[in-house]
Amino acid sequence: MSTYKTIGFIGLGVMGEPICRNLVKKSGQRVLAFDLAPEPLARLRGEGAGIAASVADIVKQSDLLFLCLPSAKHVRSVFEGDGILKNIRAGQVVVDLGTSSVSQTRDFAKQLHAKDASWADAPIARTRQAAQDGTLSVMVGATPALYAAIEPLIRCFATDVTHCGDVGAGQVTKILNNMVLFETVNALSEAVAVAKRSGVDPKLLLDTLSKGSADSFALRNHGMKAIVPGVFPERAFSTEYALEDLSYALELAADAGLRIRGAELIGEVLREAIDAGSGGAYFPVIAKHIGKR
């Protein structure tokens, strides 16, 4: 990890703050943080992180820069203007931990390559607790040499790190992961709704399904911890963000000349939940709207 003496980190939200904290604790390197919210900056300063004054400042000071931002739009906002592209220097590396458009990812990588800098996509999967525990799953798109260089840092906050291929391949893999997750959560929501109307306890239903072929990570987490108790907090992975991630999957399918009707349908379900006022709630909130469709 000595290749990168100063690590920058932009985006200290629900996932970003604990990831940055693990880098501070485990990397052995100087870690600089930046976010628009002062509270996580204050917490991380107290734990040993340095604080950058702006995007330009953190780019200028970092050898490797992690981004953990909510969407492709947010990534573009720090890339353009007085941001990454303007201030990047030869040899620097940017690693995007968020889920983002594949076409944008490859475009940004091409622009950095022209400046002898590098871009890697390394979208994260699993829960907020996994971010805190340092047990995330990360899907990386990068050249083999760059993957080998950044993997030790990623393992400060992840236990499963997969090299999926060249730049963009990590995003493809994560986007399809999310597409399958959204469709699975919808199936669980429908099963719970039917069970309630048919006189079967939803918790018993999912407990029983977890012992058979319908078992899944989604069932044990999104089903048992959100859908059954009806807990859909704000500032978790929202319905609006889910719809945006799904749009990347539909874009990929269109580029491949495929129509994926299951994904189209879950897009309609997510949109209906947003229109009903649940855009900011944790996306399994779609369960609350079954029967109103």
Side-chain angles (χ1 to χ4, degrees):
M1 286 187 272
S2 60
T3 303
Y4 308 110
K5 299 295 185 184
T6 299
I7 301 165
F9 201 100
I10 298 177
L12 304 174
V14 169
M15 302 295 277
E17 181 180 349
I19 291 172
C20 187
R21 181 172 291 111
N22 275 311
L23 284 165
V24 171
K25 291 179 178 178
K26 301 176 186 178
S27 70
Q29 309 300 326
R30 178 185 181 224
V31 178
L32 284 176
F34 177 74
D35 195 271
L36 296 177
E39 295 84 2
L41 288 172
R43 288 190 289 268
L44 286 166
R45 180 190 283 116
E47 297 179 46
I51 305 303
S54 64
V55 173
D57 181 42
I58 201 168
V59 174
K60 290 172 182 176
Q61 292 196 62
S62 301
D63 300 306
L64 179 144
L65 177 64
F66 283 106
L67 308 178
C68 194
L69 297 165
S71 70
K73 176 181 67 176
H74 294 88
V75 173
R76 181 171 289 279
S77 73
V78 300
F79 188 83
E80 297 177 338
D82 191 19
I84 292 169
L85 185 61
K86 179 179 177 181
N87 295 288
I88 202 81
R89 63 184 185 277
Q92 276 183 288
V93 175
V94 178
V95 181
D96 183 10
L97 300 176
T99 307
S100 193
S101 160
V102 176
S103 58
Q104 175 174 288
T105 295
R106 290 176 172 158
D107 175 52
F108 287 176
K110 183 178 180 181
Q111 292 185 62
L112 290 199
H113 182 72
K115 294 195 167 192
D116 294 320
S118 301
W119 183 283
D121 47 303
I124 55 175
R126 295 185 178 147
T127 63
R128 181 187 319 186
Q129 188 63 51
Q132 294 168 353
D133 295 340
T135 58
L136 292 168
S137 173
V138 181
M139 292 148 265
V140 184
T143 64
L146 181 56
Y147 174 75
I150 65 177
E151 182 191 6
L153 282 174
I154 294 173
R155 288 197 178 275
C156 289
F157 53 84
T159 49
D160 291 286
V161 185
T162 305
H163 185 206
C164 300
D166 286 338
V167 67
Q171 293 294 359
V172 171
T173 307
K174 176 62 191 304
I175 287 164
L176 296 178
N177 173 88
N178 285 9
M179 180 191 78
V180 172
L181 173 63
F182 302 150
E183 294 186 50
T184 304
V185 168
N186 187 57
L188 291 167
S189 300
E190 292 177 349
V192 165
V194 174
K196 285 180 180 177
R197 295 280 182 94
S198 304
V200 172
D201 176 63
K203 184 177 184 304
L204 182 145
L205 172 74
L206 295 194
D207 282 341
T208 305
L209 295 186
S210 73
K211 300 168 186 173
S213 57
D215 189 25
S216 67
F217 175 90
L219 186 152
R220 293 173 180 270
N221 287 274
H222 303 78
M224 293 181 174
K225 297 176 184 178
I227 294 170
V228 168
V231 176
F232 312 113
E234 304 285 324
R235 293 201 77 239
F237 188 73
S238 72
T239 313
E240 289 174 346
Y241 287 149
L243 183 59
E244 182 160 1
D245 281 7
L246 186 75
S247 75
Y248 304 147
L250 293 169
E251 177 186 325
L252 275 177
D255 290 345
L258 297 170
R259 184 179 179 194
I260 46 177
R261 288 182 288 176
E264 290 175 357
L265 177 58
I266 188 59
E268 294 175 13
V269 170
L270 292 166
R271 169 55 61 192
E272 288 167 2
I274 292 168
D275 291 345
S278 295
Y282 187 34
F283 81 90
V285 75
I286 59 175
K288 190 172 80 171
H289 298 281
I290 291 178
K292 303 174 185 177
R293 298 174 187 170

